[in-house]
Amino acid sequence: MNRPRIFALLAIATAIGASTILISKLSAGDDHSSHFKFQSDSIVLTRSVYVGNASTVTTGETLPLGCPGGPNGSTVVAVPTTTNSTTDVTVPCGVASDNGEFPNLSDSHNVWNNSGSDGSFGVTSPIFLDNLSSDGHLLGTLPIPTNQIVTSFSSKSELALNRSIDGRSLTFMAYQGGPGCGGFPVAPTAPNLLDVSASNTPGVCDLTNPVFTTYPSNPIAPAAYYRAVAEVDGDGHLSVTDGNAYSGDNGRAAIKGANGLYYMVGNDDSGNLSKKQLTTTPSGIALINATGAELLAPGQTPPVPPNIDMIGRLLFGTDKPGKDTNFRGLTIFNNTLYVTKGSGGNGINTVYQVGSQGTLPTGTAAQLANVPISILSGFPNTAASTSTAFPFGIWFANATTLYVCDEGDGTLVTGQIINGQTNVADAQSLATAGLQKWSLVNGTWVMDYVLQDGLSIGVPYSVANYPTALNPATGGCRNIAGRHNHDGTVTVFAITSTLSTNGDQGADPNKLAKVTDVLSATVLPAVQHGDDAARIGHFVTIRSAHAGEVFRGVALAPDDRGDD
């Protein structure tokens, strides 16, 4: 791609803000619209299935698709600055090392090997909402139309599922095609598109992002994807609201507040702008103001810079602006927004409160920029946390009890035997990964204990029709949902994280597990014997992903009666 073409695309891109959103109120498949309904007192699981094949990726082709430098090459892009000049940025490209086959028993191909040469690599896949009993029995499945919204199969932080504060709907985030950068036609929304999770959004086009397009075309056409919020009601009706936050990376989670607004978390910027260039180029400034915690109104036209509603700003030390808000989980409790950061080598991995106690952030983009983000007292508060704390999903059982799922550090250890079994988890994960219970004592949160029994952290497990060499092990847990029981206990449902030798651990078949805990307890339950389902403090796997499947989010099912 030459420089004149780049400038032409940039000029046309200024018109993107006029693009309008496609809001659809529809059921997931007309055949089921009059029949599907989530059952009361059940749970819902977000699941995705890989549907690619060998031809999805061609060994030797340029990755990301259309990257202007060609296989293992690079090109220099002239990026406009805020002083009416330009700055040169080198954009590197890679080459596909394998085809598009999912790991199988017939040959040695593995589509996730491509993650080694393409840091943006991903393949889109369909989304399913499984309605389950509390024991994991399938009650029904709601397939989400793939021409409306898709996920990136191996992106482990996507598809968190949250029930609205009024209890009437569920929300998750995924991708919907929008106008390509430079005003090109709307990109397709479909399975088997490449690198969508690292693509630009239509309203924030970073010319240094190596993801130029996501599908083969001649001539090559730029592609961009909204980070969209999907809302599903108790009858399975779907609405989609598009947003321009999280360009270059992914939206992770969304929840609908009692005020009817969506609150979101995610991360952006898969481009090559330096710290200085982020603050001296229009595209860089747009990126650092379109990440972290975000606000979006259902049905609104996708907001564009400078009106993308990012909530608060964090900058610790000398990090790149915008990278300290690499949030993954969120919840709303007592009309207060809480978020977690559990990944990245920058900032502080911990649990944050966003805004004032009892008040959900609202207002203009300028007002939202000044909303304070504060670390909960007692939780990690130093940079050392990036190697010791990995919080993901959170659930307030009450005002003084908080459950936090820690996914572990993702480090795989080989040749280690513990209690006579191979174990691939390191000491950090073995000590703190799993479901942490925290209590508020005299204004400070104190960790009581970590529930791990039954998770078998670090112990590899087999998956039917899956290569033994890639057998995953549970590394910890990610998204969670909790419910109160009538006997003073609570049950928490958790999606497991994994450790493996796979090129992308996010593609590993993982599990849905549940654990029951005594709400008032502050001491780890003693190991018990007997019926697993009846043991306090013991995780029971209630559903396991097959080869080519991943589990992402879990929530209590929506109910037309709402939350009383």
Side-chain angles (χ1 to χ4, degrees):
M1 186 170 65
N2 56 35
R3 293 189 182 192
R5 183 182 179 193
I6 291 171
F7 283 120
L9 294 183
L10 186 69
I12 300 173
T14 58
I16 291 177
S19 65
T20 57
I21 187 173
L22 173 62
I23 300 294
S24 55
K25 191 72 174 179
L26 54 103
S27 63
D30 292 339
D31 292 341
H32 306 288
S33 60
S34 60
H35 305 290
F36 186 89
K37 187 176 182 64
F38 291 108
Q39 294 194 25
S40 298
D41 301 319
S42 61
I43 61 173
V44 183
L45 169 74
T46 47
R47 172 175 58 93
S48 190
V49 176
Y50 185 76
V51 294
N53 54 40
S55 64
T56 300
V57 182
T58 301
T59 303
E61 71 179 332
T62 299
L63 290 178
L65 292 176
C67 189
N72 288 324
S74 62
T75 191
V76 175
V77 175
V79 179
T81 69
T82 54
T83 57
N84 295 320
S85 61
T86 62
T87 182
D88 288 346
V89 179
T90 299
V91 179
C93 308
V95 59
S97 61
D98 210 331
N99 67 20
E101 290 181 64
F102 196 83
N104 60 83
L105 301 181
S106 300
D107 53 49
S108 61
H109 288 298
N110 180 357
V111 61
W112 311 116
N113 289 335
N114 292 300
S115 298
S117 57
D118 176 11
S120 303
F121 189 73
V123 184
T124 56
S125 56
I127 301 164
F128 301 90
L129 269 59
D130 289 336
N131 191 197
L132 306 174
S133 71
S134 59
D135 292 325
H137 297 297
L138 183 64
L139 305 174
T141 293
L142 181 70
I144 303 299
T146 55
N147 63 347
Q148 289 293 318
I149 196 165
V150 290
T151 190
S152 179
F153 181 85
S154 60
S155 295
K156 61 186 180 182
S157 59
E158 294 182 5
L159 288 187
L161 194 63
N162 287 286
R163 189 160 83 158
S164 61
I165 299 305
D166 67 7
R168 297 179 182 274
S169 63
L170 301 171
T171 49
F172 60 88
M173 292 195 70
Y175 305 95
Q176 187 174 72
C181 290
F184 280 78
V186 172
T189 304
N192 299 334
L193 303 172
L194 301 186
D195 297 345
V196 166
S197 60
S199 66
N200 287 312
T201 59
V204 182
C205 290
D206 174 14
L207 295 177
T208 73
N209 187 339
V211 179
F212 187 74
T213 191
T214 60
Y215 56 96
S217 61
N218 189 12
I220 295 174
Y225 288 82
Y226 292 115
R227 275 49 170 177
V229 176
E231 182 174 2
V232 180
D233 67 16
D235 293 320
H237 298 126
L238 170 72
S239 62
V240 177
T241 299
D242 290 334
N244 277 307
Y246 313 125
S247 182
D249 211 323
N250 60 349
R252 278 75 182 267
I255 187 170
K256 191 175 187 180
N259 56 10
L261 301 176
Y262 296 139
Y263 291 87
M264 309 175 294
V265 289
N267 187 37
D268 75 359
D269 187 9
S270 286
N272 294 279
L273 293 169
S274 67
K275 177 184 175 181
K276 179 180 179 181
Q277 290 165 333
L278 279 172
T279 59
T280 58
T281 60
S283 57
I285 293 170
L287 286 169
I288 62 179
N289 288 284
T291 187
E294 295 275 348
L295 177 65
L296 188 67
Q300 78 175 98
T301 298
V304 296
N307 295 313
I308 295 177
D309 291 335
M310 183 176 173
I311 307 171
R313 303 295 187 275
L314 287 178
L315 182 60
F316 298 107
T318 58
D319 298 331
K320 268 189 173 184
K323 301 309 289 184
D324 292 333
T325 54
N326 182 5
F327 300 140
R328 286 193 162 187
L330 88 168
T331 194
I332 292 173
F333 179 73
N334 283 347
N335 210 46
T336 307
L337 178 64
Y338 299 90
V339 301
T340 64
K341 179 184 178 297
S343 66
N346 48 273
I348 297 176
N349 286 4
T350 193
V351 180
Y352 297 87
Q353 177 180 307
V354 182
S356 302
Q357 186 74 34
T359 304
L360 290 175
T362 58
T364 66
Q367 292 169 328
L368 290 169
N370 293 317
V371 170
I373 302 177
S374 56
I375 297 172
L376 296 191
S377 177
F379 277 87
N381 61 6
T382 68
S385 62
T386 58
S387 59
T388 60
F390 309 94
F392 211 108
I394 51 178
W395 177 59
F396 282 88
N398 56 37
T400 60
T401 310
L402 175 59
Y403 289 90
V404 180
C405 238
D406 187 296
E407 69 167 333
D409 60 12
T411 300
L412 185 141
V413 178
T414 58
Q416 178 177 246
I417 305 296
I418 298 178
N419 295 327
Q421 290 182 303
T422 297
N423 194 296
V424 297
D426 67 0
Q428 180 64 55
S429 292
L430 289 170
T432 59
L435 186 63
Q436 300 175 354
K437 184 178 187 179
W438 293 71
S439 294
L440 186 62
V441 181
N442 297 323
T444 299
W445 289 97
V446 177
M447 187 166 72
D448 299 320
Y449 49 82
V450 186
L451 293 167
Q452 294 180 324
D453 186 45
L455 284 179
S456 299
I457 290 178
V459 179
Y461 54 86
S462 61
V463 178
N465 303 312
Y466 197 65
T468 301
L470 299 181
N471 279 352
T474 295
C477 56
R478 295 181 183 134
N479 291 304
I480 58 175
R483 66 162 40 138
H484 290 266
N485 303 317
H486 299 297
D487 58 358
T489 65
V490 295
T491 298
V492 178
F493 302 89
I495 304 294
T496 63
S497 60
T498 59
L499 297 166
S500 76
T501 59
N502 202 356
D504 190 334
Q505 294 177 354
D508 292 336
N510 57 340
K511 300 180 179 183
L512 171 63
K514 71 173 183 178
V515 63
T516 297
D517 187 43
V518 177
L519 182 56
S520 61
T522 57
V523 178
L524 183 66
V527 175
Q528 304 172 30
H529 301 283
D531 183 4
D532 283 352
R535 287 163 56 184
I536 298 295
H538 176 80
F539 273 97
V540 177
T541 297
I542 60 174
R543 204 157 185 87
S544 297
H546 301 296
E549 274 188 337
V550 286
F551 297 162
R552 293 296 182 229
V554 61
L556 303 184
D559 194 322
D560 291 340
R561 298 170 296 181
D563 281 346
D564 296 328

